[in-house]
Amino acid sequence: DTIPRFGTETPHEAKLAELMDNIDAWGLNIFDVHNYSQSHSLTSVMYTIFKKRNLIETFRISPQKLINYLVTLESHYLDVPYHCSIHAADVTQAIHVLLLIPSFENTFTDLEILAALFAAAIHDVDHPGVTNQYLINSDNELALMYNDTSVLENHSLAVAFKLLQNEDCDFIENLSDEQRKILRQISIDMVLATDMSKHGAIMQTIQSFHQSLKAKQCKDSNSNSSTNDSLVLTEQKERVQLLREMLHCADLSNPTKHLSIYTQWVDRIMDEFHYQGDRERSAGMPISPMCNRRTADIEMAQIGFIQAIVEPLWQMWAQLVYPHCQQMLDNIDSNRQWYEYQISNRSSRNNT
Ligand SMILES: COc1ccc(/C(C)=N/OCCC(=O)N2CCOCC2)cc1OC1CCCC1
Ligand SMILES: [Mg+2]
Ligand SMILES: [Zn+2]
């Protein structure tokens, strides 16, 4: 039986094809992809990217086993408002677009690209919709299992690799042992780096690391435009550092998207936070920051999130790949202004 064009059967294949024409664009509407793929956005996005990047031929991947793995992985994302399979599809498509930046034309090996896409797809699988701190505070068995250390991130990695042990899901069966080892190593490194408690450390190193890369940046000999400077990194360690930052950027990319997409993610993360706050309140636990629906200031929280975390990170990233990623910085700025306008509007409304 032949495999559907986008990996999953859907009566809306024509509409999905139209959406997938934008797979390389930052403006892809992942919510539309989810709707027109019968809630298989992760499977259809990953399959489309693998086909487009010729990874199925390069690594002699069985298309059926890839689909089996993706559908199984997708089914292990829980039906929580934010950390569901749409978020995984969103982050996977984001890292695919970041990898297309001309500065990285000659930077990563095919195996590193495979590992980066895999890490993005798996990075939040089986996420229960609460934070690490909540799992620790509520003596959850996951916190016990992982000794309070990057609990969610360790759990997603373990679940994702467990699914690979299933014979008819092992789409990397034709990789050599060495390649499998490298893929596992890079995926673990990247997913563990999505733990927000590591954000400070990433910001510490990013400045000096990028300065050293800019120093090494070579003018691509056959480039016709002066901006086409490709970053060539001889050390795998340095390339993995870059991939770690890239996944972290993709994970924190909601404010870099068009307002209509960004506000949907805000609604979802606040649903998830407020539900956690409800559970903390009824358990008599202290309610976590931004999780109390009765005192929430959603606009202020997003402005704080943008100013403290998202804008500084994306400014560092945009500097490295200048002039690319200006669209992301512009969206961050206009989105922040929109939330500031909401607040100013709110106060004048109260005065009427
Ligand atoms: C669209 O809004 C948000 C999107 C993403 C995030 C974060 C921090 N993602 O981090 C990676 C995942 C992670 O580690 N988390 C998940 C969130 O809680 C911390 C642990 C936070 C967002 O808004 C927050 C901050 C202002 C009001 C709610
Ligand atoms: Mg996560
Ligand atoms: Zn995530």
Side-chain angles (χ1 to χ4, degrees), residues 52-320:
K52 184 146 201 200
R53 289 182 170 273
N54 216 29
L55 292 169
I56 290 175
E57 284 75 18
T58 306
F59 293 102
R60 292 187 298 122
I61 292 171
S62 145
Q64 191 56 62
K65 290 197 175 188
L66 175 61
I67 298 295
N68 293 345
Y69 182 77
L70 292 173
V71 169
T72 309
L73 179 72
E74 190 153 46
S75 70
H76 280 74
Y77 273 88
L78 302 180
D79 184 21
V80 291
Y82 184 91
H83 288 101
C84 58
S85 63
I86 315 172
H87 169 65
D90 178 46
V91 171
T92 301
Q93 194 260 337
I95 207 164
H96 162 66
V97 175
L98 292 176
L99 285 164
L100 286 170
I101 292 173
S103 318
F104 303 128
E105 202 168 340
N106 312 311
T107 306
F108 302 105
T109 66
D110 286 331
L111 183 59
E112 286 159 356
I113 289 169
L114 177 70
L117 294 165
F118 181 70
I122 72 170
H123 87 280
D124 277 328
V125 67
D126 202 37
H127 193 299
V130 290
T131 61
N132 281 328
Q133 200 50 55
Y134 178 84
L135 295 173
I136 293 165
N137 295 347
S138 56
D139 301 322
N140 187 285
E141 59 177 320
L142 286 177
L144 185 68
M145 171 71 77
Y146 293 111
N147 306 305
D148 298 351
T149 311
S150 299
V151 176
L152 287 164
E153 295 74 20
N154 273 301
H155 177 59
S156 293
L157 279 162
V159 168
F161 278 99
K162 197 75 194 148
L163 296 178
L164 260 187
Q165 291 178 349
N166 190 322
E167 175 61 36
D168 54 21
C169 289
D170 184 11
F171 70 94
I172 55 168
E173 62 193 336
N174 289 329
L175 268 65
S176 68
D177 291 348
E178 180 58 19
Q179 287 176 318
R180 291 169 73 97
K181 188 165 132 310
I182 291 171
L183 177 119
R184 177 166 164 80
Q185 209 171 15
I186 294 176
S187 309
I188 290 170
D189 187 303
M190 288 178 68
V191 173
L192 289 182
T194 62
D195 178 355
M196 274 309 284
S197 71
K198 300 285 189 302
H199 175 74
I202 287 184
M203 290 307 283
Q204 281 296 317
T205 51
I206 206 167
Q207 180 111 35
S208 52
F209 177 51
H210 286 192
Q211 271 158 6
S212 74
L213 297 187
K214 295 299 275 184
K216 273 193 257 179
Q217 198 161 22
C218 56
K219 300 265 179 250
D220 198 343
S221 50
N222 56 11
S223 74
N224 43 23
S225 76
S226 63
T227 58
N228 178 14
D229 302 341
S230 55
L231 284 165
V232 178
L233 306 179
T234 49
E235 302 292 318
Q236 177 180 309
K237 202 166 83 54
E238 290 184 330
R239 297 197 299 269
V240 175
Q241 159 91 20
L242 214 47
L243 291 175
R244 198 181 301 147
E245 292 170 11
M246 206 185 276
L247 182 54
H248 187 48
C249 285
D251 205 20
L252 296 174
S253 63
N254 297 155
T256 72
K257 298 290 175 67
H258 187 273
L259 185 69
S260 56
I261 299 281
Y262 173 33
T263 49
Q264 291 183 67
W265 289 120
V266 175
D267 293 346
R268 286 169 174 267
I269 193 83
M270 294 322 296
D271 275 354
E272 208 167 281
F273 274 19
H274 291 163
Y275 182 62
Q276 174 177 318
D278 294 347
R279 290 162 71 175
E280 289 166 332
R281 188 184 303 106
S282 56
M285 294 163 69
I287 299 178
S288 302
M290 297 174 283
C291 292
N292 190 339
R293 67 174 75 249
R294 298 179 188 162
T295 61
D297 186 337
I298 294 171
E299 293 82 1
M300 282 304 284
Q302 283 303 314
I303 291 168
F305 177 47
I306 286 171
Q307 288 179 327
I309 295 183
V310 178
E311 193 154 40
L313 175 66
W314 276 94
Q315 273 171 345
M316 285 287 172
W317 186 258
Q319 214 172 15
L320 177 71

